[in-house]
Amino acid sequence: MEQRSKATIPYLMDKKRTGKKITMLTAYDYSMAFIMDQAGIDTILVGDSLGMVVLGYNSTVPVTMEEMIHHCKAVRRGTEYAFLIGDMPFMSYQTSVEEAVRNAGRFLKEAGCDAVKLEGGQEMAETVAAMVRIGIPVVGHIGLTPQTATSLGGFKVQGKDLTSAQKQLDSARALDQAGTCMLVLECVPDKLAKKITESVRMPTIGIGAGVDCDGQVLVSNDLLGLFKKFTPKFVKKYADLFPSIDEAFRTYIEEVAAGTFPAVEHTFVMKEHDLEGLK
């Protein structure tokens, strides 16, 4: 069996060069990170999607730096091989380049991430370049950007007409020139995603962007069928665990109420005479 090594930026770049697909999933805790890391995932993203699937917020906007750092630390402890990316939350990088660099540094210094991810196109190029100059690897994110979905008219496909498609392509090129090491393309038409992938040096990671991206990412809770509020069109459920977990919880509740759990095999049995003399 081939010995596995820690995934690095050169490793991911080589995958793009040789046409080998990059795999990415989200994780938010130690246990899930450990399972997917051992399964062979290339990259793990601690996404601000944790706001919705873990913390119960209605969007990603309320997520804080402290929440992201907390979850990144947990995922780091479960990750040995995968390239670990921390998602910069809303307003942690938009107000100034200086604050963006400082917050990005926390993901590497405190949480042990290998890179940070931020949303935005050409307008973020200066910020990205400042991070890269001091040694912070940055993953870009264009197309549908959930933190600013309201200004985009909601959770809709981006780049469907010539003008908006050109804007996405220009953004990808600007981020590539600024030094991003990967680029997430979310809810972008397949032909546009293919064009972007062919036009940039860095690997592209699609989510609702077709098969021609250099890799793919899904929210693990969607992939496992754990998040029931809605299922985006681009999600494939590789398991539907919600009903199984629900049934397990209900059966446990019934058995405790009926006194059938714990049974003898779950009990540390003591003989009556062992308590003789107990007052």
Side-chain angles (χ1 to χ4, degrees), residues 121-177:
Q122 291 172 287
E123 72 280 6
M124 297 311 304
E126 180 186 352
T127 299
V128 169
M131 292 177 181
V132 172
R133 275 196 301 272
I134 63 168
I136 300 175
V138 182
V139 177
H141 183 160
I142 62 173
L144 172 59
T145 47
Q147 292 176 7
T148 54
T150 301
S151 64
L152 298 175
F155 290 84
K156 298 179 179 179
V157 177
Q158 303 297 307
K160 293 174 70 176
D161 59 75
L162 188 59
T163 300
S164 59
Q166 187 65 58
K167 180 181 178 181
Q168 297 298 326
L169 181 57
D170 291 344
S171 286
R173 287 169 171 162
L175 291 170
D176 197 37
Q177 187 172 0

Side-chain angles (χ1 to χ4, degrees), residues 41-113:
I41 201 76
D42 290 319
T43 57
I44 293 177
L45 169 64
V46 186
D48 62 358
S49 49
L50 73 86
M52 301 175 75
V53 301
V54 176
L55 302 179
Y57 299 144
N58 289 325
S59 73
T60 62
V61 171
V63 178
T64 67
M65 273 293 298
E66 297 309 318
E67 288 167 338
M68 288 304 308
I69 295 294
H70 172 83
H71 285 273
C72 284
K73 285 181 176 180
V75 172
R76 172 80 277 166
R77 290 189 283 268
T79 305
E80 182 178 358
Y81 301 107
F83 188 81
L84 181 60
I85 306 161
D87 211 353
M88 297 194 72
F90 183 61
M91 295 308 290
S92 69
Y93 58 94
Q94 292 96 334
T95 56
S96 71
V97 172
E98 292 74 18
E99 185 175 14
V101 169
R102 183 167 54 252
N103 284 328
R106 292 188 63 192
F107 278 93
L108 275 62
K109 187 177 178 66
E110 297 178 37
C113 291

